[in-house]
Amino acid sequence: MSGDLAGGPLVTVRGVHRSFGSGPTAVHALRDVSFDVTAGTMVALVGRSGSGKTTLLNIVGGLDHPDAGTVVVDGAEVTGLDDDGLSQLRRAKVAYVFQTFGLIPVMTAAENVGVPLRLARMPTAERERRVELLLELVGLADHGEQRPAELSGGQQQRVAIARALAASPRLVIADEPTGQLDAETGLSVMALLRGVVESEGVTVLVSTHDPVMMALADRVMRMHDGQVDP
């Protein structure tokens, strides 16, 4: 599980600042944040609500832009990309898993997983094989024809993880992925994320409040008041 075996950094963050508002009422969400994430590892970002975790994840993934500083993901300087470049980054290199699952209600589990592959115009037969493999990976091989409303919360999050992995991203960003799940289901979802680091060779950056889940990570980064502890 050691990052030493995985190679160099996939993510490099240097001197990132992000504030919301201005003047004395400004909220300084991130203050001079710098760190690396080694390729092929799982890193847990830990801190209280309001510590800056979500803002940091959004900036790493190109959903938000810092006021200062740089972010590089797999050789691409995220902070220097235009809208087209950011769209390409999210299609090819970065995928997201959210607390609220974000599945399309009218689609089956298999169809939800296949959405990124349709966008990538993968041939139908190849797409169907990839979807079948991913549903098997997340333990839902027999649930591909069910819609989100027919699945439990834990099953929906597993579908969301399979969808995130569909296009073989280099980095999966998971923002409180177990926040709406009970402790046992949440732990199984975190164990699944741990497993995909091993089986798919993906890098995972995950925020969490749960200290039990930190044991599954290769590294824990703690945030306080917009800063990452050294």
Side-chain angles (χ1 to χ4, degrees):
M1 249 176 15
S2 169
D4 294 338
L5 301 177
L10 183 83
V11 178
T12 300
V13 176
R14 292 290 180 269
V16 165
H17 293 259
R18 182 70 169 103
S19 297
F20 298 95
S22 60
T25 60
V27 176
H28 301 288
L30 298 175
R31 307 165 186 258
D32 194 23
V33 173
S34 297
F35 63 90
D36 295 331
V37 175
T38 303
T41 63
M42 179 174 177
V43 174
L45 190 60
V46 179
R48 294 182 178 181
S49 294
S51 61
K53 301 190 305 298
T54 295
T55 301
L56 179 55
L57 293 181
N58 287 345
I59 286 175
V60 170
L63 297 178
D64 192 11
H65 199 277
D67 301 318
T70 59
V71 175
V72 177
V73 175
D74 195 28
E77 186 178 334
V78 178
T79 39
L81 296 175
D82 59 15
D83 288 345
D84 288 341
L86 289 171
S87 295
Q88 178 62 26
L89 177 85
R90 291 191 286 266
R91 279 198 299 268
K93 295 189 176 186
V94 180
Y96 301 86
V97 178
F98 299 106
Q99 185 179 136
T100 52
F101 316 140
L103 302 178
I104 301 169
V106 298
M107 288 186 170
T108 65
E111 289 167 342
N112 268 283
V113 174
V115 165
L117 304 178
R118 286 180 179 274
L119 294 173
R121 299 182 179 178
M122 180 179 284
T124 301
E126 185 180 350
R127 183 180 73 239
E128 289 176 350
R129 284 195 298 272
R130 177 71 175 155
V131 168
E132 184 179 354
L133 175 69
L134 287 165
L135 286 173
E136 185 175 345
L137 175 68
V138 300
L140 294 176
D142 297 329
H143 297 273
E145 297 308 307
Q146 291 180 271
R147 288 178 170 78
E150 301 170 320
L151 299 171
S152 69
Q155 289 171 329
Q156 289 184 63
Q157 193 59 294
R158 287 171 178 270
V159 174
I161 291 170
R163 181 184 58 190
L165 296 171
S168 300
R170 296 280 284 141
L171 174 67
V172 171
I173 294 174
D175 190 9
E176 299 281 0
T178 62
Q180 293 194 9
L181 306 176
D182 63 76
E184 183 178 354
T185 305
L187 188 58
S188 71
V189 166
M190 288 294 286
L192 172 60
L193 285 171
R194 171 74 258 171
V196 302
V197 172
E198 312 292 346
S199 63
E200 296 271 312
V202 74
T203 304
V204 175
L205 180 58
V206 55
S207 68
T208 182
H209 281 98
D210 193 337
V212 177
M213 298 173 188
M214 299 175 206
L216 293 171
D218 296 294
R219 177 183 171 201
V220 174
M221 295 195 310
R222 299 183 184 276
M223 289 198 73
H224 296 280
D225 299 323
Q227 295 180 304
V228 173
D229 290 354

